[in-house]
Amino acid sequence: IARDVDLEVVLRELQSEIQRTVAEEARTHQFLHAGVVEWNGKAILIPGQTLSGKSSLVLAFLRAGASYYSDEYAVLDSNGRVHPFPRAIGLRNSDGRPSRSVDPAELGVSTGRKPLPVGLVLFTRFRPGAGWHPRRLSPGKAVLEMLSNSLSARRDPVKVITGLQKIAATARVFKSRRGEALEVVDW
C-alpha cells in the first residue's frame, strides 16, 4: 500500500486504504467522496476528487461557524441523510502529498453527531484566480455529477442512483470553479 522512510506517511496511507475499502464495500450506506459541513440544520455537500480543494473549503466553512461532518466521505443512508464521518482534516501540498492534518477540535468547532438532510451541494474545483460564478444544476445533472464521486456505484448502481435522486430532488445543487474559499462561503 505504501513505502516511505517516514512511518507516519505509511500509517496515513494505510488508514486511507482501510477507509476507502469500507466505503466501497458498505452495504447499508453509500459513500460519496465529499466534504460535509452542517449549516442551519442542513448538510452542505462538497463532492470532489483529491486535490479539488474540498478540505480547504470545509475549513473555510468551519471558520465561518459551520459544524464539521467530514472532509473525505459523505456517508448517506437510504433516506438521503448524511451521517458524520469525522476525522482529522487532511491537507495536501501542491504535489498532492499529505502535508498536515488539522484536528477540528483545535479550531474550536463542533462535530456533528446526528444525520442531516442535504440542503446544498456544491460542485467546485479550485483554480488560482478563478471567480465563483455558480450555475444551478437540474436534478438529472446533479445525480450524474454525484454519481462520479460515488464509491459503490459499480457494485450497486440502482441503489446508489435511487439514493442520489432523493438528494437531487430536495437540495439546491450548484457548480462552478472557484478561487479563494471565502468567496464561496460568503456567497
Side-chain angles (χ1 to χ4, degrees):
I1 292 171
R3 289 182 189 204
D4 202 291
V5 295
D6 185 346
L7 180 60
E8 288 299 317
V9 171
V10 173
L11 292 175
R12 205 171 20 235
E13 289 300 317
L14 177 61
Q15 179 185 27
S16 179
E17 183 66 18
I18 291 169
Q19 290 173 350
R20 186 187 59 76
T21 300
V22 168
E24 287 177 351
E25 299 300 324
R27 301 285 181 213
T28 60
H29 290 73
Q30 298 174 44
F31 284 66
L32 289 183
H33 196 214
V36 184
V37 295
E38 178 270 331
W39 189 262
N40 292 330
K42 301 262 178 132
I44 299 174
L45 261 60
I46 309 163
Q49 300 303 314
T50 301
L51 296 176
S52 64
K54 294 184 314 294
S55 296
S56 61
L57 193 50
V58 165
L59 277 173
F61 273 112
L62 296 179
R63 289 183 176 122
S67 295
Y68 180 62
Y69 268 65
S70 179
D71 86 316
E72 187 66 18
Y73 296 118
V75 181
L76 305 168
D77 65 23
S78 61
N79 294 316
R81 294 175 305 167
V82 181
H83 293 255
F85 190 83
R87 60 179 213 147
I89 299 168
L91 301 175
R92 296 178 180 269
N93 54 28
S94 59
D95 68 1
R97 289 181 53 93
S99 63
R100 66 184 178 101
S101 295
V102 176
D103 183 347
E106 293 173 13
L107 302 173
V109 300
S110 63
T111 299
R113 301 254 183 250
K114 62 180 182 174
L116 295 174
V118 178
L120 182 63
V121 181
L122 301 175
F123 290 101
T124 185
R125 184 167 188 86
F126 174 75
R127 293 277 189 247
W132 172 246
H133 305 289
R135 70 181 197 285
R136 192 158 187 180
L137 298 183
S138 68
K141 286 185 179 182
V143 169
L144 289 174
E145 290 279 347
M146 285 187 280
L147 192 59
S148 70
N149 292 285
S150 171
L151 278 84
S152 53
R154 287 186 178 155
R155 184 180 45 74
D156 197 349
V158 173
K159 180 179 175 183
V160 169
I161 290 171
T162 301
L164 297 179
Q165 286 173 326
K166 289 178 183 177
I167 293 170
T170 58
R172 294 178 299 154
V173 183
F174 294 90
K175 183 176 182 177
S176 174
R177 289 188 177 163
R178 69 169 180 87
E180 296 306 312
L182 280 178
E183 184 179 6
V184 179
V185 173
D186 289 343
W187 173 81

